[in-house]
Amino acid sequence: MASLMFDHVKKRYGNSELTVKDFHLEVKDKEFLVLVGPSGCGKSTTLRMIAGLEDITEGSLYIDETLVNDVNPKDRDIAMVFQNYALYPHMTVYKNLAFGLKLAKEPKEKIDVMVKETAKILEIEHLLGRKPKALSGGQRQRVALGRAIVRNPKVFLMDEPLSNLDSKLRVQMRTEITKLHKRLGATIVYVTHDQTEAMTMGDRIVIMNEGVVQQVASPDVIYNNPANKYVAGFIGSPSMNFINGRVIEKQGNIYFTTDNIKLPISKDNTNDLKNYINQEITFGIRPEDIYTDIKQVDTNESLVKYTAKIESIENTGSEMFLYFSVDGEPLTVRNKSNPNIKVEQKITLYVDMNKAHFFEKESGTSIKYDRLLTDNE
Ligand code: ADP
């Protein structure tokens, strides 16, 4: 397997603005790295530069120690899996799997061993005689993965490989690809716009927006310690709540205030906000960090009470999302389903100020990011 090194890589199509602005990152050997971000942010372009399907405008890309900017795609020892499986419709599964090896002029016996071994890993041995049209979507995707695996490449590139599958199958294939990654000990770069795929599959996640890397970190750090407001709002469903307001100090205590609310900052966060007194900031709180029932938590030191009227409710069966508005800004609370909670009802909310996030108003940079990262180490 292999590592990848992006050294300040940039990509421009024609005379347009840079599509990938400054991608600087090492993908470690055996790592499962997920690129995630909204459509058009430059994920596929980044992946295609690794494959050699797009030129690199500026910067260097290394596979292991080798500079590959000008290396032909077929000489990069990379396999790519796309969302549209790209199987040959007139060939059996066996022939689809064998095709690349045959082109590479591998001996027949060796091809046979490799195809069968791959089919076994993916549990598609019983399908080897079928043609793609006689396969389900999930089975086709497995064959597409098989075509990548059979070549034993240095790096696997996967571009939204699950987006054509129905949601149940997608969940199942997520686990299968994760298991496959462990079993093969492979280096994988995986592109998706789906935050759940990113969070559940990646060793590390790269969050991109408009060609700029916003944060690179483990799913846990991304969720609990987002580097900026963009990342905080992108990961998590329903999204983090944001309220713009001001930091004030009164008799030695620090508060976050708007016209109608005044939230005391918990001790843990006081130091971070000292430099922001009398400044405008954005306060962030995830929907699950506001409780309707104080029994949900063991400690209540950092809980701040707030009473509000429920404007609407979405009930998923196990959970309900309660929608409020605070100073004209929307606020979502995530709660266990409870038939006693009804629209228009006034309800006491407990905001867990220890879980609060704070962002600089203009730049969106997290105010406590650096400290939390140091704490995590
Ligand atoms: P993502 O994979 O994140 O959806 P892409 O990397 O496919 O994004 O595209 C990023 C941007 O680059 C988009 O604005 C897209 O229109 C543009 N783009 C992609 N491919 C080309 C191309 N071959 N020529 C010109 N522009 C392109």
Side-chain angles (χ1 to χ4, degrees):
M1 286 302 151
S3 61
L4 294 171
M5 174 70 202
F6 287 88
D7 188 9
H8 298 289
V9 167
K10 296 175 188 159
K11 173 69 187 177
R12 183 192 308 281
Y13 288 108
N15 294 326
S16 59
E17 287 212 351
L18 284 173
T19 292
V20 173
K21 292 195 175 128
D22 185 12
F23 203 94
H24 188 71
L25 175 76
E26 187 184 353
V27 186
K28 300 180 193 117
D29 184 34
K30 298 188 175 55
E31 183 168 29
F32 196 131
L33 186 88
V34 180
L35 307 183
V36 69
S39 182
C41 72
K43 307 178 294 289
S44 292
T45 299
T46 306
L47 203 71
R48 291 167 61 81
M49 285 193 284
I50 305 174
L53 302 173
E54 296 293 349
D55 290 338
I56 292 169
T57 309
E58 213 180 302
S60 311
L61 174 65
Y62 298 85
I63 299 179
D64 286 333
E65 315 284 277
T66 312
L67 179 69
V68 295
N69 287 41
D70 299 318
V71 173
N72 209 301
K74 70 174 176 24
D75 298 327
R76 293 191 185 197
D77 202 1
I78 270 170
M80 197 148 169
V81 184
F82 299 94
Q83 73 172 260
N84 53 356
Y85 326 106
L87 301 179
Y88 299 108
H90 58 287
M91 290 186 194
T92 60
V93 169
Y94 186 100
K95 285 193 171 156
N96 264 287
L97 292 178
F99 189 74
L101 300 172
K102 224 170 141 187
L103 278 189
K105 304 216 167 24
E106 295 287 354
K108 223 173 166 189
E109 300 72 38
K110 190 176 169 197
I111 294 178
D112 192 57
V113 170
M114 288 166 92
V115 166
K116 286 183 177 154
E117 215 170 82
T118 302
K120 196 168 165 201
I121 292 174
L122 291 163
E123 296 173 14
I124 50 171
E125 294 151 291
H126 60 297
L127 304 174
L128 286 172
R130 291 200 201 166
K131 290 197 175 152
K133 69 172 183 308
L135 302 176
S136 70
Q139 288 169 336
R140 278 180 213 160
Q141 192 49 277
R142 237 169 265 170
V143 178
L145 283 172
R147 293 210 329 180
I149 293 169
V150 78
R151 292 171 43 202
N152 193 23
K154 276 188 167 176
V155 181
F156 288 89
L157 305 178
M158 302 193 183
D159 195 351
E160 305 261 5
L162 306 186
S163 45
N164 275 347
L165 306 178
D166 66 49
S167 58
K168 198 169 165 198
L169 202 54
R170 233 174 18 234
V171 174
Q172 193 188 330
M173 288 299 287
R174 239 160 46 199
T175 323
E176 288 195 21
I177 293 180
T178 312
K179 275 199 222 147
L180 200 61
H181 168 245
K182 295 220 164 68
R183 175 164 182 179
L184 299 174
T187 308
I188 300 182
V189 183
Y190 187 105
V191 161
T192 181
H193 65 276
D194 180 323
Q195 55 159 305
T196 313
E197 271 179 32
M199 290 295 282
T200 53
M201 298 173 85
D203 293 325
R204 277 191 308 162
I205 302 176
V206 179
I207 303 210
M208 294 178 75
N209 186 34
E210 295 181 355
V212 178
V213 172
Q214 304 289 318
Q215 186 168 12
V216 184
S218 66
D220 186 46
V221 170
I222 294 265
Y223 195 78
N224 295 308
N225 194 11
N228 57 40
K229 192 178 158 197
Y230 183 83
V231 173
F234 186 78
I235 296 287
S237 178
S239 289
M240 186 184 285
N241 297 295
F242 296 113
I243 301 174
N244 290 321
R246 181 179 285 273
V247 182
I248 59 160
E249 184 177 26
K250 251 191 180 161
Q251 288 152 356
N253 296 317
I254 299 185
Y255 300 86
F256 171 78
T257 62
T258 69
D259 289 347
N260 294 309
I261 57 174
K262 185 170 160 199
L263 304 172
I265 302 300
S266 69
K267 276 195 216 109
D268 280 10
N269 294 320
T270 304
N271 269 338
D272 302 312
L273 290 175
K274 272 195 175 141
N275 294 333
Y276 291 84
I277 289 167
N278 294 328
Q279 287 187 37
E280 300 270 325
I281 64 157
T282 304
F283 165 82
I285 186 97
R286 292 206 185 272
E288 62 268 35
D289 297 328
I290 305 176
Y291 320 119
T292 56
D293 180 355
I294 202 151
K295 283 192 262 67
Q296 280 175 266
V297 278
D298 2 327
T299 162
N300 59 12
E301 265 179 34
S302 62
L303 297 186
V304 176
K305 265 203 216 179
Y306 180 76
T307 303
K309 193 166 88 177
I310 303 173
E311 293 195 338
S312 63
I313 295 179
E314 253 174 24
N315 197 345
T316 67
S318 59
E319 286 181 318
M320 62 204 310
F321 307 135
L322 313 176
Y323 297 100
F324 302 85
S325 99
V326 175
D327 278 354
E329 300 199 58
L331 183 88
T332 310
V333 174
R334 182 179 196 151
N335 209 59
K336 255 199 187 153
S337 272
N338 177 349
N340 297 325
I341 297 183
K342 303 233 161 61
V343 178
E344 302 270 305
Q345 191 179 329
K346 275 202 163 174
I347 192 167
T348 305
L349 300 174
Y350 300 89
V351 182
D352 191 344
M353 291 300 286
N354 268 349
K355 302 275 177 68
H357 300 258
F358 304 98
F359 306 95
E360 288 181 354
K361 179 127 182 262
E362 295 307 324
S363 66
T365 306
S366 167
I367 289 171
K368 58 180 190 173
Y369 176 67
D370 288 342
R371 170 179 65 86
L372 287 181
L373 269 197
T374 322
D375 286 357
N376 279 345
E377 279 165 8

